[in-house]
Amino acid sequence: SERRTISDALRLSEERFRRLYEAAPIGIVISRGHTLLDINPALVKMLGLADQAEACGRSSQDFVAPARRADVLEKATRRANGEPAPGEYESVGLRKDGTEFPVHLVLAEMMLSDGPAAVGFLTDITDRRRAEDELARHVEELRRSNAELQQFAYVASHDLQEPLRNISAFAQLLGRRYKGRLDHDADEFIHYMVEGAERMQSLIDDLLAYSRVGTHGRPFEPTDLEQVLAAVEGNFRTLVSETGAVLTHDRLPVVSADFSQMTQLFQNLIGNAMKFHGKDAPRVHVGVRSTGGVHEIRVIDNGIGIGAEHFARIFVIFQRLHGPSEYPGTGIGLAICKRIVERHGGRIWVESGPGKGATFRFTLPEAVG
């Protein structure tokens, strides 16, 4: 009775294994040495065979692409000799019709009634490789396109500088020499001409700065953000005096960064905090929180705030929430901040609400060594 119970349990177990083996969606092969003992229906289909019998007794090398046979044989020999060998790797399979296909293989050992054997689990990764190749192609196209756009922006902006200076200079000369000597409309038109040339000059300067973030950056080195902030505070000394702004900060860390771009980053963020203030004098605090080798820097202000619907838009080049008559600027500053932070391997975001001030947060890696 006990033997019958054990026999029934063994038969049931074997039946379950066979059903799983036959229904498995991935290819399964059982081999000893280089000889195939059995393959499941999924592998029969993968190799383009008529049935399982067509593979049994043949060498596993028959189903490996000729260019990869030496590599597969070397791995198998190392495993057979008990040497360290990968139990999982990618290779190239060979179908009955001679076509090759990429395959992912996982190997394991198993014990059969007549001795040890190897079992392999194979997955046709043609679709995955095709998707990876397509992604790599798109990434390369995007990289090339970005490089071309950056070069175009630099060249176009650089070449526009000289004629624009001439326009601005002669417009100002015209305004000084003939102001009050022509009619009121002429004075107004000259004023608009000068104002437009100045705005265009600012736009070109900012566009040049934007294009240079990725192409003219300096190598990263240990950078003390205390020194960066001191330089920025010096640049804003007159504006702070005029507006009554109060700047405070935590003890800032040393990070791995480009000092010049860090100065530009802090100058843009603190400058915006002082520009977009309400009735009260600007108050700006630079805070920091450090965890796991990453520093999160916060620039907190008491300004007019930003609606949540604009959080993503403000980091896009040329996007402005206010007209130039309300707040001057070109709409490139925060786009430059985003590029600088991303070049340093971090990210930047904002938390705010209308009339509630804004907190700009960005992450930077700590200095190594």
Side-chain angles (χ1 to χ4, degrees):
S1 175
E2 185 176 350
R3 284 184 178 179
R4 190 179 307 113
T5 300
I6 295 174
S7 178
D8 290 344
L10 182 60
R11 185 169 58 253
L12 179 61
S13 177
E14 290 176 347
E15 182 180 347
R16 286 174 176 170
F17 172 78
R18 174 55 61 177
R19 287 178 180 175
L20 177 63
Y21 180 76
E22 298 286 343
I26 64 173
I28 303 176
V29 57
I30 299 173
S31 62
R32 181 173 289 124
H34 301 296
T35 303
L36 304 184
L37 303 180
D38 196 9
I39 66 173
N40 72 336
L43 189 54
V44 169
K45 182 179 179 181
M46 192 183 301
L47 296 174
L49 303 177
D51 52 36
Q52 291 159 292
E54 195 171 353
C56 294
R58 295 178 61 179
S59 170
S60 59
Q61 293 288 79
D62 292 345
F63 301 102
V64 178
R68 301 299 295 272
R69 285 174 182 169
D71 177 59
V72 173
L73 180 61
E74 187 265 341
K75 288 184 174 67
T77 302
R78 284 165 56 191
R79 289 178 63 84
N81 294 335
E83 300 174 12
E88 179 178 358
Y89 57 90
E90 293 182 3
S91 189
V92 181
L94 182 67
R95 297 189 180 94
K96 180 180 178 180
D97 63 5
T99 58
E100 299 179 357
F101 65 100
V103 63
H104 181 263
L105 175 64
V106 178
L107 296 172
E109 304 295 331
M110 67 180 300
M111 181 60 68
L112 301 179
S113 58
D114 58 347
V119 59
F121 302 90
L122 297 91
T123 305
D124 183 343
I125 57 174
T126 300
D127 291 340
R128 192 186 84 187
R129 281 287 180 82
R130 186 180 296 118
E132 290 173 348
D133 291 343
E134 186 71 9
L135 178 61
R137 186 177 66 81
H138 283 306
V139 168
E140 177 58 25
E141 287 179 355
L142 183 61
R143 185 201 64 76
R144 186 172 60 252
S145 176
N146 282 341
E148 290 173 352
L149 284 173
Q150 288 176 15
Q151 183 64 17
F152 171 78
Y154 175 75
V155 171
S157 300
H158 188 271
D159 290 348
L160 285 172
Q161 293 276 14
E162 190 58 33
L164 185 60
R165 287 194 193 98
N166 288 335
I167 293 172
S168 180
F170 281 107
Q172 291 175 26
L173 179 62
L174 192 64
R176 288 195 301 269
R177 180 169 297 182
Y178 293 99
K179 184 175 183 180
R181 298 174 61 181
L182 303 174
D183 59 22
H184 174 74
D185 286 347
D187 288 345
E188 188 174 15
F189 295 159
I190 292 172
H191 170 74
Y192 289 150
M193 189 188 306
V194 173
E195 191 178 68
E198 289 174 346
R199 281 204 305 270
M200 181 59 76
Q201 185 67 56
S202 295
L203 187 63
I204 288 176
D205 289 342
D206 284 351
L207 187 58
L208 273 172
Y210 181 80
S211 69
R212 286 171 171 167
V213 170
T215 58
H216 287 65
R218 298 173 182 172
F220 297 168
E221 58 185 8
T223 300
D224 189 345
L225 293 184
E226 287 281 332
Q227 296 179 10
V228 170
L229 192 57
V232 172
E233 288 176 334
N235 294 339
F236 283 131
R237 189 171 291 112
T238 300
L239 183 59
V240 168
S241 177
E242 291 174 350
T243 61
V246 177
L247 304 181
T248 59
H249 65 91
D250 296 345
R251 179 69 176 86
L252 299 181
V254 175
V255 299
S256 181
D258 176 336
F259 184 94
S260 177
Q261 290 188 348
M262 284 297 101
T263 303
Q264 190 175 17
L265 172 64
F266 276 85
Q267 188 152 312
N268 282 349
L269 293 177
I270 294 174
N272 279 352
M274 290 195 290
K275 179 168 67 174
F276 296 101
H277 68 87
K279 296 179 180 179
D280 298 331
R283 294 195 311 274
V284 186
H285 178 73
V286 181
V288 61
R289 182 175 62 186
S290 304
T291 55
V294 175
H295 302 292
E296 180 186 293
I297 312 297
R298 304 186 298 276
V299 179
I300 308 166
D301 66 55
N302 65 331
I304 60 176
I306 305 166
E309 67 274 17
H310 302 304
F311 285 177
R313 178 185 167 197
I314 61 174
F315 293 105
V316 179
I317 190 170
F318 298 134
Q319 294 296 308
R320 292 176 51 86
L321 304 185
H322 309 278
S325 60
E326 296 177 275
Y327 297 97
T330 60
I332 298 181
L334 287 176
I336 291 175
C337 291
K338 185 173 185 289
R339 289 201 69 189
I340 290 174
V341 171
E342 289 178 348
R343 180 182 177 240
H344 286 75
R347 66 186 187 95
I348 184 170
W349 68 101
V350 64
E351 297 171 355
S352 183
K356 298 181 179 178
T359 299
F360 283 86
R361 300 174 183 265
F362 59 91
T363 57
L364 294 171
E366 68 180 10
V368 178

